[in-house]
């Protein structure tokens, strides 16, 4: 058995069945309001003379019942072997609705890693709540991280 010489895909997915607005739902991750980054998914990919196309998706859920109209911010990083290769800062305005106000967003982050190190590479999807304090709960619900290896 050796390295796969053709294109192939490595993926990890978490599907949240139920409310993404509570830690009682299996698979939900809470982003700390102190700005601590959280790794929400990772995949290990073995490459040799290849490019890697990274696709990802995250469901963001925000509990807003007591905060009225506001803006919140979530930072998404894709890392290879601990080094950041892509960052998106997603700032969203939220307009309050009666009772349990909620907002969800499904960002997609496509990235081509043109020069991965030959051998095993670990790709990580990391999220950080960058909203000003005090701020309501920000949760990560369903999410996916897919690495497509393309020989060159």
């Amino acid at each position: 058995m050796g390295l796969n010489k053709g294109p192939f895909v490595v993926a990890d997915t978490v599907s949240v069945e139920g409310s993404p607005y509570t830690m009682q739902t299996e698979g939900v991750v809470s982003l700390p309001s102190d700005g601590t980054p959280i790794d929400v998914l990772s995949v290990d990919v073995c490459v040799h003379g290849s490019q890697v196309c990274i696709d990802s998706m995250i469901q963001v859920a925000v509990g807003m019942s007591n905060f009225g109209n506001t803006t919140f911010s979530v930072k998404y990083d894709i890392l290879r072997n601990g080094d950041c290769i892509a960052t998106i800062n997603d700032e969203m305005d939220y307009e309050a609705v009666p009772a349990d106000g909620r907002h969800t967003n499904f960002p997609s982050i496509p990235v081509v890693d043109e020069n991965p190190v030959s051998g095993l590479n670990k790709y990580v999807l990391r999220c950080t709540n960058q909203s000003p304090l005090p701020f309501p709960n920000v949760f990560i619900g369903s999410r996916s991280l897919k690495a497509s290896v393309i020989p060159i």
Side-chain angles (χ1 to χ4, degrees), residues 29-40 75 77 79 124-130:
V29 174
S30 178
L31 295 182
S33 59
D34 66 1
T36 300
I38 300 294
D39 295 348
V40 296
K75 179 179 160 191
D77 294 313
L79 295 89
V124 174
L125 183 55
R126 178 176 288 169
C127 296
T128 308
N129 180 358
Q130 294 188 314

Side-chain angles (χ1 to χ4, degrees), residues 13-131:
T13 300
V14 174
S15 295
V16 172
E17 296 180 22
S19 173
Y21 305 102
T22 174
M23 290 296 295
Q24 281 69 45
T25 303
E26 184 178 346
V28 171
V29 174
S30 178
L31 295 182
S33 59
D34 66 1
T36 300
I38 300 294
D39 295 348
V40 296
L41 282 178
S42 67
V43 293
D44 292 324
V45 181
C46 193
V47 299
H48 180 73
S50 306
Q51 293 180 334
V52 180
C53 180
I54 305 291
D55 293 300
S56 62
M57 180 283 299
I58 302 173
Q59 177 189 32
V60 177
V62 180
M64 303 288 292
S65 58
N66 298 325
F67 284 85
N69 298 344
T70 190
T71 298
F72 64 95
S73 177
V74 177
K75 179 179 160 191
Y76 309 91
D77 294 313
I78 295 178
L79 295 89
R80 178 191 359 104
N81 302 328
D83 296 325
C84 185
I85 60 171
T87 297
I88 292 180
N89 290 301
D90 196 356
E91 185 174 285
M92 296 164 267
D93 291 328
Y94 175 83
E95 186 173 324
V97 294
D100 293 335
R102 304 288 192 243
H103 178 86
T104 58
N105 187 35
F106 297 84
S108 177
I109 309 170
V111 173
V112 175
D113 186 2
E114 296 182 355
N115 299 305
V117 177
S118 288
L120 189 62
N121 289 276
K122 182 181 203 91
Y123 291 91
V124 174
L125 183 55
R126 178 176 288 169
C127 296
T128 308
N129 180 358
Q130 294 188 314
S131 304

